[in-house]
């Protein structure tokens, strides 16, 4: 119940200022604090969708640079302009730009790496996400003024602007646009960085080719399938054909559930008591073992099996925690749930970047991330269901996790499979051999 009060006093012993204290969001206005967070997540939701469309049109690197500048500009405005309406609007735009930077950078990191090594950077990215989670808690511990903290955080994304000049565009995206010469040049640069040497006349074309590299015999064969040089895809292509439609809806549901579980469990961390800074750091630390487990198991057992196991384990842990009254056991089971859900979150990122075809990959990952943001928006409401029945939030989260895990059994495995390039490749993925360029390296 929100109280109607005329006078109030802030406890500044641990935190000097917050958004709530700056705009006096107390008593009947206290709901606005959570509303601002929900609006930020709404911006993230929109950014996931729009950035995917923009990136598939103008390129990955340009999108990263533009959204990074947006994060800094709108973050500074939110910190420096003491008007609540402007602050809320800027937080919405920061969320949108943050989604654009993160999802696009993730997609290009997956597209630029071969099938054998795709998993490591995909999981490595999630480790940085957890590290950022912990870093925010550490910065907040030493910077108790929220305005100063927001300025420090807002300036950090500007480093991504340098990517425009120093980081190569995705060769796969260039190929999907018919820009073969640019893709060839980037492949030469990447080969040089990896200590390989390509012939001076190396060029990517639609015709089969074979080449010799010192100390390595590399045969490159392409099973050619007629297609437009500048094939473009839209979001509708995700649902246009039967196999793509079933696969897309399944992946979207996994993203929705894993995000709902992740944020639902994270919101319960404050119920542990003690220092909010320590609790936040612990909540971030528990993710690292999950990512380490993924690095060890994904290339051995595949993406789908480990994702299913993680979702089901997390779900069972949450349901069990709902009916346990012993404090340490309840915390252990809840931590097991967070561990498993963190692993599932990392896996679904990697899997999504591998299963969608290049021409709509960023749009697909963006829409999937949009579904995750919807889950994130609903997570606070799920937690409030304990007013009707105390175990209900954990039971609901656990049941959804188990359901999503079992449905994921229907998804095709992507381990060591070439990335699908065209819409037709995506439809046939897991059904038959798709059009692909294979590099066979023989001693």
């Amino acid at each position: 119940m929100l109280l109607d009060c005329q006078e109030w006093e802030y406890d500044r012993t641990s935190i000097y200022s917050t958004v709530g204290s700056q705009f006096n969001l107390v008593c009947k206005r206290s709901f606005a604090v959570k509303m601002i967070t929900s609006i930020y997540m709404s911006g993230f939701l929109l950014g996931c969708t729009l950035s995917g469309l923009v990136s598939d049109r103008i390129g990955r690197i340009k999108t990263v640079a533009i959204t990074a500048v947006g994060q800094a500009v709108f973050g500074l405005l939110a910190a420096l302009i003491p008007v609540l309406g402007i602050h809320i609007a800027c937080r919405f735009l920061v969320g949108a730009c943050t989604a654009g930077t993160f999802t696009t950078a993730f997609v290009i990191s997956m597209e630029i790496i071969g099938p054998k090594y795709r998993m490591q950077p995909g999981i490595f990215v999630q480790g940085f996400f957890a590290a950022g989670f912990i870093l925010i808690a550490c910065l907040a511990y030493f910077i108790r003024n929220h305005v100063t903290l927001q300025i420090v955080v807002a300036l950090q994304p500007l480093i991504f602007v340098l990517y425009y000049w120093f980081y190569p565009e995705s060769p796969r995206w260039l190929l999907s646009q018919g820009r073969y010469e640019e893709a060839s040049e980037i492949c030469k640069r990447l080969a040089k960085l990896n200590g390989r040497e390509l012939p001076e006349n190396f060029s990517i074309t639609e015709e089969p080719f074979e080449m010799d590299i010192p100390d390595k015999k590399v045969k490159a064969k392409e099973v050619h399938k007629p297609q437009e040089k500048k094939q473009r895809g839209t979001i509708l292509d995700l649902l246009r054909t039967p196999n793509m439609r079933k696969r897309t809806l399944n992946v979207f549901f996994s993203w929705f559930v894993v995000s709902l579980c992740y944020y639902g469990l994270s919101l319960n961390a404050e119920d542990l008591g003690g220092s909010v800074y320590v609790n936040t750091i612990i909540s971030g630390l528990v993710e690292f073992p999950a990512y380490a487990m993924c690095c060890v198991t994904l290339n051995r057992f595949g993406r789908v099996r480990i994702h299913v196991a993680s979702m089901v384990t997390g779900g069972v842990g949450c349901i069990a925690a709902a009916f346990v009254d012993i404090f340490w056991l309840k915390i252990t089971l809840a931590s097991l749930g967070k561990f498993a859900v963190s692993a599932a979150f990392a896996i679904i990122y990697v899997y999504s970047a591998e299963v969608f075809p290049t021409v709509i990959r960023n749009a697909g990952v963006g829409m999937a991330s949009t579904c995750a943001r919807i889950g994130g928006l609903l997570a606070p409401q799920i937690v409030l269901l304990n007013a009707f029945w105390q175990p209900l939030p954990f039971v609901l989260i656990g049941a959804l996790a188990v359901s999503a895990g079992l449905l994921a059994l229907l998804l095709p495995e992507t381990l060591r499979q070439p990335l699908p390039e065209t819409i037709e490749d995506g439809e046939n993925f897991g059904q038959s051999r798709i059009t692909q360029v294979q590099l066979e390296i023989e001693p």
Side-chain angles (χ1 to χ4, degrees):
M1 179 178 179
L2 300 178
L3 301 176
D4 185 12
C5 49
Q6 303 298 324
E7 297 182 2
W8 52 82
E9 183 177 348
Y10 296 108
D11 180 5
R12 303 183 187 276
T13 55
S14 61
I15 302 176
Y16 179 75
S17 71
T18 64
V19 171
S21 64
Q22 181 183 17
F23 298 109
N24 291 320
L25 303 179
V26 296
C27 303
K28 283 192 172 181
R29 303 181 69 200
S30 60
F31 74 94
V33 175
K34 290 186 177 181
M35 182 189 71
I36 292 173
T37 302
S38 295
I39 289 174
Y40 171 85
M41 294 296 291
S42 299
F44 208 103
L45 187 154
L46 179 65
C48 289
T49 303
L50 294 183
S51 66
L53 297 174
V54 171
S55 174
D56 285 337
R57 293 288 179 176
I58 70 172
R60 314 315 196 203
I61 294 301
K62 286 183 180 178
T63 303
V64 169
I66 292 171
T67 53
V69 171
Q71 285 186 71
V73 171
F74 296 122
L76 290 173
L77 290 176
L80 298 175
I81 298 180
V83 178
L84 181 59
I86 295 177
H87 177 86
I88 292 175
C90 288
R91 290 297 297 166
F92 175 85
L93 294 171
V94 168
C97 292
T98 300
T101 303
F102 183 78
T103 57
T104 306
F106 179 82
V107 166
I108 192 174
S109 69
M110 298 300 290
E111 288 184 336
I112 211 167
I113 296 171
K116 184 178 180 181
Y117 301 103
R118 281 199 302 256
M119 183 271 294
Q120 288 87 346
I123 300 300
F124 201 50
V125 167
Q126 308 304 322
F128 277 102
F129 188 90
F133 192 73
I134 296 170
L135 178 61
I136 286 292
C138 295
L139 288 174
Y141 179 81
F142 293 103
I143 305 174
R144 303 298 177 95
N145 185 304
H146 82 283
V147 173
T148 305
L149 180 62
Q150 285 187 83
I151 292 173
V152 171
V153 172
L155 292 175
Q156 295 180 37
L158 289 177
I159 191 172
F160 294 116
V161 178
L162 298 176
Y163 280 32
Y164 184 77
W165 290 280
F166 298 106
Y167 201 89
E169 181 56 87
S170 166
R172 291 185 181 276
W173 179 81
L174 292 172
L175 287 173
S176 72
Q177 305 300 302
R179 294 160 63 174
Y180 298 107
E181 292 185 7
E182 294 175 67
S184 299
E185 289 301 316
I186 289 176
C187 286
K188 291 178 182 178
R189 289 169 55 190
L190 294 176
K192 186 176 181 180
L193 287 172
N194 287 319
R196 299 295 182 88
E197 186 176 340
L198 296 177
E200 292 184 3
N201 61 348
F202 170 80
S203 178
I204 297 177
T205 66
E206 293 185 292
E207 300 300 326
F209 63 90
E210 187 168 329
M211 57 191 174
D212 291 320
I213 297 178
D215 301 324
K216 297 283 184 181
K217 183 182 180 183
V218 178
K219 293 187 295 182
K221 298 182 295 184
E222 182 176 17
V223 183
H224 177 60
K225 178 170 54 183
Q227 65 181 40
E228 296 181 8
K229 289 187 177 181
K230 295 186 178 181
Q231 182 186 26
R232 295 182 183 273
T234 67
I235 290 178
L236 294 178
D237 289 317
L238 293 169
L239 305 173
R240 199 181 304 278
T241 55
N243 289 330
M244 281 282 291
R245 180 166 55 249
K246 289 184 290 186
R247 193 175 305 139
T248 296
L249 293 176
N250 199 333
V251 169
F252 284 3
F253 183 63
S254 276
W255 276 79
F256 168 80
V257 172
V258 77
S259 178
L260 179 68
C261 297
Y262 180 87
Y263 289 108
L265 291 171
S266 297
L267 289 174
N268 278 332
E270 61 186 33
D271 296 334
L272 296 175
S275 169
V276 64
Y277 306 106
V278 173
N279 290 345
T280 303
I281 291 173
I282 292 174
S283 182
L285 287 175
V286 75
E287 298 185 26
F288 287 103
Y291 303 144
M293 183 270 293
C294 290
C295 288
V296 172
T297 59
L298 284 189
N299 275 351
R300 178 173 298 181
F301 302 107
R303 282 65 160 136
V304 174
R305 290 180 181 178
I306 304 303
H307 180 69
V308 170
S310 297
M311 292 294 285
V312 172
T313 300
V316 171
C318 289
I319 293 174
F323 299 101
V324 171
D325 293 326
I326 303 174
F327 176 75
W328 67 266
L329 184 56
K330 192 179 188 73
I331 294 299
T332 300
L333 290 171
S335 298
L336 174 64
K338 179 68 182 298
F339 168 90
V341 167
S342 297
F345 219 150
I347 296 167
I348 199 63
Y349 258 107
V350 174
Y351 183 84
S352 299
E354 293 177 335
V355 78
F356 292 121
T358 299
V359 291
I360 52 171
R361 179 169 298 118
N362 214 62
V365 174
M367 284 300 297
S369 190
T370 297
C371 295
R373 302 290 76 77
I374 296 174
L377 283 170
L378 292 177
Q381 311 308 317
I382 295 294
V383 174
L384 294 177
L385 291 177
N386 60 10
F388 300 96
W389 184 41
Q390 188 66 34
L392 185 56
F394 275 112
V395 171
L396 184 57
I397 288 173
L400 286 171
V402 172
S403 299
L406 295 178
L407 280 174
L409 288 170
L410 302 175
L411 294 170
E413 182 55 65
T414 61
L415 176 62
R416 297 190 183 92
Q417 297 298 314
L419 296 181
E421 304 288 351
T422 66
I423 302 298
E424 186 176 353
D425 291 343
E427 173 66 11
N428 295 330
F429 190 79
Q431 306 294 320
S432 61
R433 190 174 182 85
I434 65 172
T435 300
Q436 54 188 287
V437 176
Q438 295 180 305
L439 294 180
E440 300 174 356
I441 302 180
E442 302 175 357

